[in-house]
Amino acid sequence: MTVSVWKTTTMIESIKVNLILKDNPGTSFPPASKAILWIAIKGWQTSLWKTVDKIRVTHRIIHNVLTTNVCSRHSLLHTDGFVGSNGTKEADGMSLTGDDVRYMREAMEEAKKAESLREVPIGAVIVKDGEIIGRGHNLRETMRDPTAHAEILAIRQASEHLNAWRLLGCTLYVTLEPCPMCAGAILQSRIARVVYGTDDPKAGCAGTLMNLLQDGRFNHRTEVASGVLREECAELLTGFFRALRNRS
């Protein structure tokens, strides 16, 4: 369809050149008629290019859907998964270690620190070889910094701990699905695995709105597990906003 629109647009350009830009003695249109015809052609051309733009946007959306690893979206982890033969909890074909719940509770404790400051309660921890090397909770209002998300602060602390910007072999636990900014920071820091609690329907970029963490077009991909202590993580947020509404 795009090719047909392009051919039609090319034909319009040819007509415009013949009627408007060239002195064509074989054309019997008076100047006023030429102007009216030029306006009509211009409007038709604009409409066609709008159609082309819509086709391009639709193509990009379809491409993103097809290239996204949908397994991470459908293989949601739950804390009531069954114990597999290797001793890990499993749900929907993905593995959940016993430590995942423990570290998610640590992230929840960070979220409660944010709540005590009247910040949106989101918390994160970064673990390497069984040790928490980075902690963070949302401080966007306190620091007046739009980048002061829990994941960003945890990544900075972990990088300082390792004295390196590459957080190889690390797992990030966060109570809410990472946003576009945090997903980008996770990819840039080469974190190996991300475990998050509850989905973010407005900004989630680990499977809800898109899956930046597993997009094959990037030079790094991260393992993603979701739904760990989902209800408890979600309640932190809903309780916070409920109290906020009641105060107002």
Side-chain angles (χ1 to χ4, degrees), residues 146-163:
T147 69
H149 287 201
E151 299 97 314
I152 301 295
L153 299 178
I155 287 172
R156 288 174 182 168
Q157 192 176 108
S159 295
E160 290 177 4
H161 179 87
L162 296 178
N163 194 28

Side-chain angles (χ1 to χ4, degrees), residues 5-40:
V5 173
W6 179 81
K7 288 182 178 179
T8 305
T9 306
T10 303
M11 180 184 69
I12 291 173
E13 291 290 347
S14 177
I15 293 173
K16 284 167 58 181
V17 169
N18 288 330
L19 294 181
I20 309 301
L21 302 180
K22 286 186 176 180
D23 184 16
N24 189 344
T27 302
S28 60
F29 293 111
S33 298
K34 286 185 180 181
I36 293 171
L37 182 59
W38 186 88
I39 292 171

Side-chain angles (χ1 to χ4, degrees), residues 185-212:
I186 289 166
L187 291 176
Q188 290 297 325
S189 58
R190 307 296 193 264
I191 288 175
R193 184 170 180 254
V194 171
V195 181
Y196 71 85
T198 189
D199 300 336
D200 185 349
K202 293 185 178 181
C205 285
T208 296
L209 299 182
M210 63 187 72
N211 193 348
L212 293 178

